[in-house]
Amino acid sequence: MIKIALPKGRLGEKVLNLLSKCGYRCDNFDKNSRKLIFSDQSGEINYFWVKPSDVAAYVRLGAADIGVAGKDILEEDGADLYELADLKIGKCSMCVAAPADFKDDTSVPLRVATKFVHTAEKYYGEAGRDIEIIKLNGSIELAPLLKISDVIVDIVETGTTLKENNLQVIDKIFEISARVIANKSACKFKGNAIIEIVEKLVKAVENYD
Ligand code: PRP
């Protein structure tokens, strides 16, 4: 039995679709149901439908053997696990953005609004810039508009949200895509089964149109 944590939402649905093409079909999955555990038709795979930001935690704690998570989550979580493959889907980037007239006043701490507290602390720590974190859980773009922050550290995909709120990217921190992650001890004890699934998934995503 292999346990796979998938991120609830469009990315998870895409991965489930790819896994189904690999022969791990899951007929009892219904995205509109509230059910959170599904098994494939062979009964050899259990899928857990989890909040995207929790995938790394389920894998790190061993509840799931493998999972699919964005690089943003992995950088933020800092979990001790294996990253087995880059699926090259769910692409976007982690950026610093600010209003067009932003000028950094280095005599005071920079107020940074973000969900990604560790990522922002690491980025500004490496730059030697003092910051004050404003931890928010969504609609981060509002913070500089309402003057509760100077900049934001957030995900940019199409750039539409920034544009519609008169913000612009001032630095790109890293590129993001979906990664297959694995629990270290699961790799020791179920290594062959895990590798077989991941190899099939990588091949399926390469042929995806
Ligand atoms: C994410 C992110 C940005 C937006 C970027 O928010 O936090 O706000 O998407 O996408 P874009 O560049 O294509 O406009 P999400 O939709 O997850 O909602 P949230 O604001 O609640 O985090």
Side-chain angles (χ1 to χ4, degrees):
M1 168 69 73
I2 299 291
K3 297 166 288 177
I4 305 181
L6 292 176
K8 252 186 206 181
R10 258 186 315 142
L11 178 62
E13 284 166 35
K14 195 169 193 174
V15 175
L16 208 49
N17 191 15
L18 288 163
L19 285 163
S20 153
K21 289 189 168 110
C22 299
Y24 308 112
R25 233 176 66 209
C26 181
D27 293 330
N28 58 359
F29 172 73
D30 173 3
K31 68 176 176 185
N32 298 318
S33 113
R34 306 291 289 170
K35 207 169 140 68
L36 300 171
I37 300 179
F38 304 90
S39 49
D40 80 323
Q41 66 190 126
S42 71
E44 281 168 26
I45 296 187
N46 260 1
Y47 296 114
F48 306 144
W49 199 233
V50 315
K51 199 171 158 67
S53 52
D54 291 337
V55 170
Y58 281 95
V59 174
R60 173 169 41 86
L61 295 168
D65 301 311
I66 59 175
V68 174
K71 189 68 178 167
D72 51 328
I73 306 297
L74 302 179
E75 284 288 320
E76 184 64 18
D77 197 87
D80 187 25
L81 28 78
Y82 292 132
E83 200 177 299
L84 298 182
D86 180 354
L87 295 178
K88 300 184 177 144
I89 53 175
K91 285 188 181 178
C92 48
S93 44
M94 183 66 70
C95 292
V96 182
D101 61 357
F102 166 71
K103 277 195 188 69
D104 192 2
D105 175 1
T106 53
S107 66
V108 291
L110 184 71
R111 296 169 309 156
V112 182
T114 191
K115 283 193 259 203
F116 301 95
V117 173
H118 294 132
T119 300
E121 284 174 344
K122 182 167 175 235
Y123 171 77
Y124 283 106
E126 284 168 2
R129 180 72 174 95
D130 276 346
I131 60 167
E132 179 197 336
I133 292 280
I134 316 292
K135 167 81 169 78
L136 297 175
N137 297 302
S139 303
I140 313 296
E141 292 83 358
L142 256 182
L145 303 183
L146 303 183
K147 313 275 187 219
I148 62 166
S149 83
D150 304 304
V151 299
I152 63 171
V153 166
D154 199 17
I155 290 168
V156 177
E157 190 180 352
T158 60
T160 309
T161 314
L162 289 184
K163 204 167 155 206
E164 293 195 352
N165 292 289
N166 301 314
L167 300 172
Q168 59 189 35
V169 171
I170 55 175
D171 197 11
K172 188 181 277 189
I173 306 180
F174 55 82
E175 302 283 353
I176 297 167
S177 55
R179 312 294 163 101
V180 181
I181 54 173
N183 176 278
K184 287 190 165 178
S185 84
C187 282
K188 213 181 276 170
F189 297 108
K190 304 180 185 177
N192 290 341
I194 287 174
I195 286 167
E196 188 183 334
I197 294 170
V198 176
E199 280 180 352
K200 283 185 186 168
L201 184 57
V202 167
K203 223 171 252 164
V205 81
E206 280 167 0
N207 299 326
Y208 197 81
D209 42 88

